[in-house]
Amino acid sequence: MRREAGMVWLIGAGPGDPELLTLKAVRALGEADVVLVDDLVHRGVLAYARPGARVIEVGKRGGCKSTPQAFIQKLMVRFARRGAVVARLKGGDPFVFGRGGEELVALRAAGVVAEVVSGVTAGIAVPAALGIPVTHRGLARGAIFVTGHAAADDEPDWEQLARCGLTLVIYMGVARLASIAGRLQAGGLPGDTPAAVIQNGTLSNERSSVTTLEKLPVAARDFGSPAIVVIGEVARLAGVAREARRLAHAA
Ligand code: SAH
């Protein structure tokens, strides 16, 4: 499908494993003349770009500073106005802590046609890789996706979240777990609530620790970004899935 005018696809590339790309993401990527790729996107995904497509890295890899958001938006507008089909590849889902909403608003304001291709978000797929369902009949009637990395005056109300009775799925929280776990306990969430931290989920270098809320800060001490933290009864199921896998291997 070639287009007369340019446009932008805001594409979710999934949490890591390139096999978690959607068919639509693969098709949109294959149409693009220009690919703007974020940090967390597995480079294996670029295999689906058109040969000869221009690939521009806009993430922090290699220790460089990330490209400012305003500049990325300008680039997309500029390329699309010149008639290019642009693929903006983001980790996970573009609308979950991905600034995809901001980009869509900016593109539309500039009169650029933009479409969103949803991706598999880390907050669901990474716990799932351990066998943790974020909702589970009898254990959790819902899940909350929350950022652990927010400005001091804009922090989630952890004491209130402690009382919601739902699974807490924390993105970008691994560096601040001591404070987060402390506030959740202060809010009344028992220290023995099951919890898990998973770094590089769905990738070959995935690592995880299944523990309890009170032990979480210590268990996660040497975990770095990107990591997802899950707090709630559902984290118990990680052990069950693991044990089942171990028995399956032994059989
Ligand atoms: N839009 C993305 C989230 C971007 S924010 C999505 O929908 O998944 C970046 C955060 O996502 C990381 O700090 C981490 O908390 C989480 N994350 C992304 N990929 C991950 C992975 N493979 N393993 C663990 N956490 C991951």
mmCIF file of all heavy atoms in Angstrom, residues 15-16 40 91-94 96-98 120-123 126 170-172 198-203 225-228, ligand 1:
data_model
loop_
_atom_site.group_PDB
_atom_site.id
_atom_site.type_symbol
_atom_site.label_atom_id
_atom_site.label_comp_id
_atom_site.label_asym_id
_atom_site.label_seq_id
_atom_site.Cartn_x
_atom_site.Cartn_y
_atom_site.Cartn_z
ATOM 1 N N PRO A 15 7.327 -5.925 24.224
ATOM 2 C CA PRO A 15 8.199 -5.766 25.381
ATOM 3 C C PRO A 15 9.653 -6.177 25.167
ATOM 4 O O PRO A 15 10.494 -5.893 26.010
ATOM 5 C CB PRO A 15 7.547 -6.689 26.409
ATOM 6 C CG PRO A 15 6.926 -7.765 25.582
ATOM 7 C CD PRO A 15 6.439 -7.076 24.338
ATOM 8 N N GLY A 16 9.945 -6.860 24.092
ATOM 9 C CA GLY A 16 11.328 -7.330 23.920
ATOM 10 C C GLY A 16 11.398 -8.356 22.806
ATOM 11 O O GLY A 16 11.780 -8.035 21.683
ATOM 12 N N LEU A 40 14.208 0.977 23.819
ATOM 13 C CA LEU A 40 13.843 -0.339 24.350
ATOM 14 C C LEU A 40 13.448 -1.322 23.255
ATOM 15 O O LEU A 40 13.183 -2.478 23.544
ATOM 16 C CB LEU A 40 12.669 -0.193 25.332
ATOM 17 C CG LEU A 40 13.041 0.282 26.728
ATOM 18 C CD1 LEU A 40 11.785 0.493 27.567
ATOM 19 C CD2 LEU A 40 13.957 -0.712 27.422
ATOM 20 N N GLY A 91 8.875 0.863 22.408
ATOM 21 C CA GLY A 91 8.779 -0.372 23.187
ATOM 22 C C GLY A 91 7.365 -0.575 23.712
ATOM 23 O O GLY A 91 6.647 0.394 23.976
ATOM 24 N N GLY A 92 6.946 -1.817 23.828
ATOM 25 C CA GLY A 92 5.648 -2.125 24.416
ATOM 26 C C GLY A 92 4.510 -1.564 23.599
ATOM 27 O O GLY A 92 4.443 -1.738 22.384
ATOM 28 N N ASP A 93 3.604 -0.861 24.275
ATOM 29 C CA ASP A 93 2.490 -0.198 23.610
ATOM 30 C C ASP A 93 2.782 1.310 23.568
ATOM 31 O O ASP A 93 3.237 1.868 24.567
ATOM 32 C CB ASP A 93 1.187 -0.448 24.402
ATOM 33 C CG ASP A 93 0.009 0.192 23.697
ATOM 34 O OD1 ASP A 93 -0.265 1.390 23.947
ATOM 35 O OD2 ASP A 93 -0.615 -0.489 22.872
ATOM 36 N N PRO A 94 2.511 1.960 22.444
ATOM 37 C CA PRO A 94 2.877 3.383 22.349
ATOM 38 C C PRO A 94 2.100 4.286 23.304
ATOM 39 O O PRO A 94 2.558 5.379 23.628
ATOM 40 C CB PRO A 94 2.564 3.741 20.891
ATOM 41 C CG PRO A 94 1.784 2.620 20.325
ATOM 42 C CD PRO A 94 1.975 1.417 21.198
ATOM 43 N N VAL A 96 1.111 3.409 26.458
ATOM 44 C CA VAL A 96 1.309 3.091 27.874
ATOM 45 C C VAL A 96 2.702 3.581 28.269
ATOM 46 O O VAL A 96 3.714 2.982 27.880
ATOM 47 C CB VAL A 96 1.175 1.574 28.133
ATOM 48 C CG1 VAL A 96 1.374 1.266 29.615
ATOM 49 C CG2 VAL A 96 -0.187 1.060 27.677
ATOM 50 N N PHE A 97 2.760 4.685 28.976
ATOM 51 C CA PHE A 97 4.020 5.311 29.376
ATOM 52 C C PHE A 97 4.979 5.457 28.192
ATOM 53 O O PHE A 97 6.188 5.323 28.352
ATOM 54 C CB PHE A 97 4.684 4.524 30.517
ATOM 55 C CG PHE A 97 3.803 4.375 31.722
ATOM 56 C CD1 PHE A 97 3.463 3.116 32.207
ATOM 57 C CD2 PHE A 97 3.275 5.487 32.351
ATOM 58 C CE1 PHE A 97 2.627 2.979 33.309
ATOM 59 C CE2 PHE A 97 2.437 5.366 33.450
ATOM 60 C CZ PHE A 97 2.115 4.105 33.930
ATOM 61 N N GLY A 98 4.421 5.702 27.031
ATOM 62 C CA GLY A 98 5.274 5.740 25.845
ATOM 63 C C GLY A 98 5.282 7.086 25.134
ATOM 64 O O GLY A 98 5.926 7.233 24.110
ATOM 65 N N VAL A 120 2.114 -5.001 22.515
ATOM 66 C CA VAL A 120 1.952 -5.775 23.750
ATOM 67 C C VAL A 120 2.743 -5.057 24.839
ATOM 68 O O VAL A 120 3.962 -4.887 24.725
ATOM 69 C CB VAL A 120 2.500 -7.202 23.542
ATOM 70 C CG1 VAL A 120 2.423 -7.991 24.841
ATOM 71 C CG2 VAL A 120 1.736 -7.908 22.434
ATOM 72 N N THR A 121 2.044 -4.604 25.861
ATOM 73 C CA THR A 121 2.729 -3.806 26.878
ATOM 74 C C THR A 121 3.503 -4.675 27.871
ATOM 75 O O THR A 121 3.086 -5.792 28.208
ATOM 76 C CB THR A 121 1.731 -2.883 27.610
ATOM 77 O OG1 THR A 121 2.475 -1.960 28.391
ATOM 78 C CG2 THR A 121 0.766 -3.631 28.507
ATOM 79 N N ALA A 122 4.638 -4.131 28.322
ATOM 80 C CA ALA A 122 5.501 -4.885 29.244
ATOM 81 C C ALA A 122 4.767 -5.253 30.529
ATOM 82 O O ALA A 122 4.991 -6.329 31.086
ATOM 83 C CB ALA A 122 6.745 -4.062 29.579
ATOM 84 N N GLY A 123 3.864 -4.396 30.974
ATOM 85 C CA GLY A 123 3.197 -4.635 32.254
ATOM 86 C C GLY A 123 2.315 -5.864 32.263
ATOM 87 O O GLY A 123 1.995 -6.393 33.320
ATOM 88 N N VAL A 126 5.411 -9.109 30.527
ATOM 89 C CA VAL A 126 6.593 -9.472 31.319
ATOM 90 C C VAL A 126 6.194 -10.331 32.532
ATOM 91 O O VAL A 126 6.785 -11.395 32.748
ATOM 92 C CB VAL A 126 7.415 -8.204 31.665
ATOM 93 C CG1 VAL A 126 8.453 -8.481 32.723
ATOM 94 C CG2 VAL A 126 8.040 -7.641 30.391
ATOM 95 N N ILE A 170 4.102 -1.977 38.386
ATOM 96 C CA ILE A 170 4.865 -0.723 38.435
ATOM 97 C C ILE A 170 5.915 -0.699 37.325
ATOM 98 O O ILE A 170 6.784 -1.573 37.253
ATOM 99 C CB ILE A 170 5.539 -0.544 39.809
ATOM 100 C CG1 ILE A 170 4.487 -0.671 40.920
ATOM 101 C CG2 ILE A 170 6.254 0.805 39.885
ATOM 102 C CD1 ILE A 170 5.077 -0.689 42.324
ATOM 103 N N TYR A 171 5.800 0.298 36.471
ATOM 104 C CA TYR A 171 6.787 0.542 35.422
ATOM 105 C C TYR A 171 7.820 1.530 35.978
ATOM 106 O O TYR A 171 7.459 2.429 36.747
ATOM 107 C CB TYR A 171 6.139 1.202 34.195
ATOM 108 C CG TYR A 171 5.193 0.355 33.374
ATOM 109 C CD1 TYR A 171 3.979 -0.077 33.880
ATOM 110 C CD2 TYR A 171 5.495 0.026 32.060
ATOM 111 C CE1 TYR A 171 3.095 -0.816 33.103
ATOM 112 C CE2 TYR A 171 4.616 -0.713 31.269
ATOM 113 C CZ TYR A 171 3.420 -1.134 31.801
ATOM 114 O OH TYR A 171 2.553 -1.861 31.035
ATOM 115 N N MET A 172 9.051 1.405 35.540
ATOM 116 C CA MET A 172 10.103 2.395 35.850
ATOM 117 C C MET A 172 10.266 2.604 37.351
ATOM 118 O O MET A 172 10.564 3.725 37.789
ATOM 119 C CB MET A 172 9.776 3.755 35.178
ATOM 120 C CG MET A 172 9.719 3.678 33.678
ATOM 121 S SD MET A 172 9.106 5.178 32.900
ATOM 122 C CE MET A 172 7.335 4.992 33.070
ATOM 123 N N ILE A 198 11.010 -8.240 37.619
ATOM 124 C CA ILE A 198 11.496 -8.933 36.413
ATOM 125 C C ILE A 198 12.215 -7.922 35.530
ATOM 126 O O ILE A 198 11.638 -6.914 35.138
ATOM 127 C CB ILE A 198 10.326 -9.541 35.588
ATOM 128 C CG1 ILE A 198 9.417 -10.379 36.478
ATOM 129 C CG2 ILE A 198 10.858 -10.386 34.426
ATOM 130 C CD1 ILE A 198 7.988 -9.906 36.546
ATOM 131 N N GLN A 199 13.465 -8.220 35.249
ATOM 132 C CA GLN A 199 14.252 -7.343 34.375
ATOM 133 C C GLN A 199 14.417 -8.017 33.006
ATOM 134 O O GLN A 199 14.553 -9.243 32.923
ATOM 135 C CB GLN A 199 15.630 -7.113 35.009
ATOM 136 C CG GLN A 199 16.510 -6.162 34.210
ATOM 137 C CD GLN A 199 17.864 -5.924 34.860
ATOM 138 O OE1 GLN A 199 18.142 -6.422 35.947
ATOM 139 N NE2 GLN A 199 18.708 -5.177 34.185
ATOM 140 N N ASN A 200 14.418 -7.223 31.958
ATOM 141 C CA ASN A 200 14.583 -7.739 30.588
ATOM 142 C C ASN A 200 13.611 -8.873 30.274
ATOM 143 O O ASN A 200 13.977 -9.885 29.665
ATOM 144 C CB ASN A 200 16.020 -8.226 30.341
ATOM 145 C CG ASN A 200 17.017 -7.091 30.439
ATOM 146 O OD1 ASN A 200 16.748 -5.985 29.971
ATOM 147 N ND2 ASN A 200 18.157 -7.346 31.053
ATOM 148 N N GLY A 201 12.366 -8.696 30.690
ATOM 149 C CA GLY A 201 11.354 -9.730 30.485
ATOM 150 C C GLY A 201 11.165 -10.076 29.017
ATOM 151 O O GLY A 201 11.246 -9.191 28.163
ATOM 152 N N THR A 202 10.943 -11.327 28.747
ATOM 153 C CA THR A 202 10.731 -11.943 27.418
ATOM 154 C C THR A 202 12.010 -12.025 26.587
ATOM 155 O O THR A 202 11.987 -12.497 25.455
ATOM 156 C CB THR A 202 9.620 -11.265 26.552
ATOM 157 O OG1 THR A 202 10.131 -10.066 25.964
ATOM 158 C CG2 THR A 202 8.352 -10.976 27.334
ATOM 159 N N LEU A 203 13.129 -11.582 27.144
ATOM 160 C CA LEU A 203 14.391 -11.638 26.398
ATOM 161 C C LEU A 203 15.282 -12.751 26.948
ATOM 162 O O LEU A 203 15.037 -13.261 28.049
ATOM 163 C CB LEU A 203 15.111 -10.293 26.501
ATOM 164 C CG LEU A 203 14.365 -9.144 25.803
ATOM 165 C CD1 LEU A 203 14.924 -7.795 26.222
ATOM 166 C CD2 LEU A 203 14.434 -9.325 24.286
ATOM 167 N N SER A 225 17.237 -1.181 35.042
ATOM 168 C CA SER A 225 16.195 -0.916 34.056
ATOM 169 C C SER A 225 16.509 -1.681 32.754
ATOM 170 O O SER A 225 17.696 -1.822 32.425
ATOM 171 C CB SER A 225 16.175 0.578 33.806
ATOM 172 O OG SER A 225 15.168 0.903 32.917
ATOM 173 N N PRO A 226 15.521 -2.167 32.015
ATOM 174 C CA PRO A 226 14.099 -2.062 32.273
ATOM 175 C C PRO A 226 13.592 -3.212 33.148
ATOM 176 O O PRO A 226 13.929 -4.369 32.923
ATOM 177 C CB PRO A 226 13.502 -2.181 30.864
ATOM 178 C CG PRO A 226 14.438 -3.107 30.130
ATOM 179 C CD PRO A 226 15.801 -2.816 30.703
ATOM 180 N N ALA A 227 12.812 -2.856 34.137
ATOM 181 C CA ALA A 227 12.231 -3.886 35.002
ATOM 182 C C ALA A 227 10.787 -3.528 35.344
ATOM 183 O O ALA A 227 10.435 -2.355 35.475
ATOM 184 C CB ALA A 227 13.043 -4.024 36.281
ATOM 185 N N ILE A 228 9.995 -4.574 35.475
ATOM 186 C CA ILE A 228 8.600 -4.443 35.904
ATOM 187 C C ILE A 228 8.493 -5.027 37.311
ATOM 188 O O ILE A 228 9.103 -6.062 37.595
ATOM 189 C CB ILE A 228 7.665 -5.222 34.943
ATOM 190 C CG1 ILE A 228 7.469 -4.477 33.626
ATOM 191 C CG2 ILE A 228 6.325 -5.555 35.585
ATOM 192 C CD1 ILE A 228 6.513 -3.302 33.672
HETATM 193 N N1 SAH B 1 5.493 1.693 26.362
HETATM 194 C C1 SAH B 1 6.165 0.680 27.139
HETATM 195 C C2 SAH B 1 6.651 1.204 28.479
HETATM 196 C C3 SAH B 1 7.691 2.299 28.374
HETATM 197 S S1 SAH B 1 8.245 2.856 29.922
HETATM 198 C C4 SAH B 1 5.226 -0.522 27.313
HETATM 199 O O1 SAH B 1 4.044 -0.433 27.013
HETATM 200 O O2 SAH B 1 5.707 -1.574 27.751
HETATM 201 C C5 SAH B 1 9.665 1.856 30.138
HETATM 202 C C6 SAH B 1 9.427 0.848 31.239
HETATM 203 O O3 SAH B 1 8.729 -0.280 30.743
HETATM 204 C C7 SAH B 1 10.686 0.268 31.826
HETATM 205 O O4 SAH B 1 11.284 1.134 32.786
HETATM 206 C C8 SAH B 1 10.146 -0.978 32.463
HETATM 207 O O5 SAH B 1 9.464 -0.687 33.661
HETATM 208 C C9 SAH B 1 9.136 -1.426 31.440
HETATM 209 N N2 SAH B 1 9.690 -2.396 30.481
HETATM 210 C C10 SAH B 1 9.753 -2.267 29.162
HETATM 211 N N3 SAH B 1 10.280 -3.377 28.590
HETATM 212 C C11 SAH B 1 10.565 -4.224 29.602
HETATM 213 C C12 SAH B 1 11.119 -5.541 29.677
HETATM 214 N N4 SAH B 1 11.488 -6.212 28.586
HETATM 215 N N5 SAH B 1 11.262 -6.110 30.892
HETATM 216 C C13 SAH B 1 10.892 -5.461 32.012
HETATM 217 N N6 SAH B 1 10.359 -4.219 32.004
HETATM 218 C C14 SAH B 1 10.187 -3.608 30.819
#
